[in-house]
Amino acid sequence: MDVSTGVPAVDAVLVWGGALTLFVGVGGALWRVVRAVSQVTRRAGHFLDDWYGEGARPGVVARPGVMERLGTLEEGLRSVHHEVTPNSGRSLRDAVDRANERLEQLCPGPIDCPPPDEPPEEPPGEPATPPQGH
């Protein structure tokens, strides 16, 4: 099957145009693949920088890695746990327990407070004053 136009100049333009279209299409597809791969590798690099940390460089402070940051959090959590559990007598929880024991010695029994839905009683001898402006 002969697909030539019979005009050699037109045939040459069509062949070169087809080849150019093929090269541009393949180049565009390759560009998209390279761009996608570079974005993935850049994101993976950011993740690894965050995971392992980065040293200080001019104008930028050092950033600790994930494991170092977790160690810092665990140390802080140990400190908080020590303060909120009864232990050696020096924790905040121990101090609160001692204060409650002393308060119980001073004021044994339940504390009488009005229920939240009842208004507090007015002191004797002072009349209730209506709100101003009505």
Side-chain angles (χ1 to χ4, degrees):
M1 175 162 144
D2 188 20
V3 287
S4 70
T5 62
V7 180
V10 173
D11 289 341
V13 167
L14 289 175
V15 167
W16 285 107
L20 181 64
T21 302
L22 179 67
F23 287 130
V24 168
V26 168
L30 285 175
W31 170 250
R32 291 179 67 125
V33 168
V34 167
R35 189 177 67 181
V37 167
S38 71
Q39 287 176 350
V40 168
T41 57
R42 186 170 9 105
R43 288 181 183 166
H46 291 314
F47 172 77
L48 291 174
D49 287 343
D50 290 342
W51 185 263
Y52 292 112
E54 291 185 271
R57 53 184 197 268
V60 180
V61 297
R63 291 188 317 167
V66 170
M67 292 301 157
E68 186 178 347
R69 292 170 61 194
L70 282 175
T72 303
L73 288 173
E74 286 175 350
E75 184 62 35
L77 185 59
R78 272 192 287 276
S79 173
V80 169
H81 185 265
H82 173 78
E83 291 298 325
V84 298
T85 55
N87 46 37
S88 63
R90 298 184 63 178
S91 69
L92 180 62
R93 174 63 189 262
D94 292 326
V96 169
D97 288 343
R98 281 191 306 270
N100 283 337
E101 289 170 7
R102 290 176 187 155
L103 181 62
E104 183 65 32
Q105 290 173 356
L106 292 174
C107 303
I111 299 174
D112 294 329
C113 294
D117 55 343
E118 293 181 16
E121 294 181 18
E122 302 241 349
E126 294 182 16
T129 56
Q132 299 292 330
H134 289 301

